[in-house]
Amino acid sequence: MGAKELSSDALNEQQVLMLRLLEKPLPEADFAEIRRLAVKLLSKRLDETLENWENKENITEQGYDQLSKTHFRSPAKKH
């Protein structure tokens, strides 16, 4: 893969750098570990984002419990 192929306008600088790091095939176990670490990082970021939203909106465990006992669907149509 040449440098021109990696500098596509469709990719940001971080994506290009990651592709350069992974330019040569890795052993399958190493690649699987990188994938696990990436998912773990993204999961952590999602948890942080959700927690920030819950704090901002004052969402509590009781609020989730209450929402789980209601629904937002319209009533069934009678034929």
Side-chain angles (χ1 to χ4, degrees):
M1 196 178 276
K4 281 189 173 185
E5 292 171 318
L6 293 178
S7 63
S8 169
D9 291 335
L11 302 175
N12 66 43
E13 185 178 347
Q14 289 179 349
Q15 292 168 322
V16 171
L17 289 173
M18 289 301 294
L19 286 173
R20 285 187 179 142
L21 285 172
L22 300 171
E23 189 171 16
K24 294 183 178 138
L26 296 171
E28 194 60 37
D30 291 349
F31 183 69
E33 181 67 16
I34 288 173
R35 287 180 64 188
R36 278 192 291 275
L37 290 170
V39 168
K40 186 176 180 179
L41 176 64
L42 293 172
S43 173
K44 181 181 173 188
R45 295 290 180 255
L46 180 60
D47 287 344
E48 291 169 355
T49 299
L50 184 57
E51 186 174 339
N52 289 338
W53 174 77
E54 288 171 334
N55 290 336
K56 179 182 172 191
E57 300 296 325
N58 198 27
I59 306 293
T60 63
E61 189 175 332
Q62 292 80 17
Y64 280 122
D65 189 50
Q66 186 178 13
L67 285 172
S68 74
K69 294 178 176 144
T70 61
H71 66 82
F72 300 98
R73 293 178 284 161
S74 58
K77 293 180 182 179
K78 298 193 182 213
H79 295 204

